Amino acid sequence: MDSYSATVIRVAGMVTRHVAAIQMAANGRRGPYRVGAGSAVLFTSDGFLVTNAHVVGSAEKGSVVFADGSRTAVEVVGADPLSDLAIVHGKAPDATPAEFGDAETLRVGQLVVAVGNPLGLAGSVTAGVVSGLGRSIPVWSGRNRRVIEDVIQTDAALNPGNSGGALADARGRIVGINTAIAGAGLGLAVPVNATSRRIIASLLQTGRVRRAYLGLVSTPVRLGANAIVRTGHRDGLLVAEVLPGSPAERAGLRAGDTVLSVGLKSVSNAESLQKLLFADAIGVPLDIAVLRDGKELVLVAVPEEMTDGA
């Protein structure tokens, strides 16, 4: 047997037992009806599973079936549409929990194996390579638009029902939670990294993820040669709009400013800014260095908690 096949078989054997088919239900006039289905990954021995927020939807309860046929009812612990991650909990299963890896170690061209339940076919395995890293998926929650950062792109075949399933590396460690089909031959997965671990921890503790809000609409920009020499920054965020009444407006930011750093940390894209805007930034003054009319200014903003109306 060739080494590629041997590796895929070994990883499939390790990962399949961690992955369950999930069905979510809601109560209607005529009784319960299905509102979502996909896959979920067991990551604790006491019955907590991670899946996609879009699989859970607005449901509060459902059921999961593991590869060995064991079934258990689950309840939603928390969901975060802005990362497309959700946690459900059921009776402690016989299955062993998965081992999380670190998507930050992935390289383009690296072998990955996807395990899920596409089209209702339990325990389906596909394999491919990491086709791209650092992709982003725009998502909405209420009026808030953000992006899921550092998304993994793979050519491992994903189909409806794979959502919420596992993307594993050659050592059987879960490096991503499959989330979307980007097109023919392209799939996307939310990375397992420091940010997603932080989101999962928050969902486990409180059932939600608190985020800070500045009120900027921006786009990445490469600085000119003179600005690079003057500021020491190569990239920044060009402010396209400052939302009325927002912390950014109160701090004095204007459309046309180029944000260089926030809280002394360089920002070059929406993802790098988002990483700074979790719960611990709410109500804490942040120094924002901007380039305006060729001059570098430091403004101070106090982020507020993001709400559906923000």
Side-chain angles (χ1 to χ4, degrees), residues 27-82:
N27 291 320
R29 294 180 180 178
R30 299 180 180 179
Y33 63 96
R34 193 176 81 170
V35 294
S39 305
V41 180
L42 180 72
F43 68 99
T44 72
S45 59
D46 52 350
F48 286 94
L49 301 98
V50 61
T51 184
N52 288 150
H54 78 261
V55 169
V56 168
S58 60
E60 296 180 356
K61 297 182 179 181
S63 63
V64 297
V65 181
F66 289 91
D68 63 2
S70 59
R71 178 186 297 268
T72 184
V74 294
E75 294 186 349
V76 176
V77 175
D80 180 44
L82 292 176

Side-chain angles (χ1 to χ4, degrees), residues 92-203:
D94 294 331
T96 57
E99 177 188 355
F100 280 165
D102 184 2
E104 299 298 327
T105 66
L106 291 176
R107 298 292 181 268
V108 173
Q110 183 174 334
L111 170 68
V112 285
V113 177
V115 179
N117 301 277
L119 307 175
L121 302 174
S124 293
V125 176
T126 58
V129 298
V130 174
S131 304
L133 294 166
R135 308 302 194 210
S136 61
I137 307 174
V139 290
W140 290 84
S141 179
R143 292 173 54 194
N144 298 312
R145 182 184 185 278
R146 288 169 69 95
V147 295
I148 304 174
E149 61 192 54
D150 298 332
V151 169
I152 304 163
Q153 178 188 326
T154 175
D155 66 352
L158 300 180
N159 294 288
N162 268 116
S163 291
L167 189 71
D169 64 15
R171 293 176 59 181
R173 300 171 301 186
I174 311 305
V175 292
I177 303 299
N178 299 321
T179 188
I181 306 162
L186 294 179
L188 301 173
V190 179
V192 173
N193 57 18
T195 299
S196 57
R197 287 173 186 267
R198 190 173 182 179
I199 290 168
I200 289 171
S202 182
L203 291 174

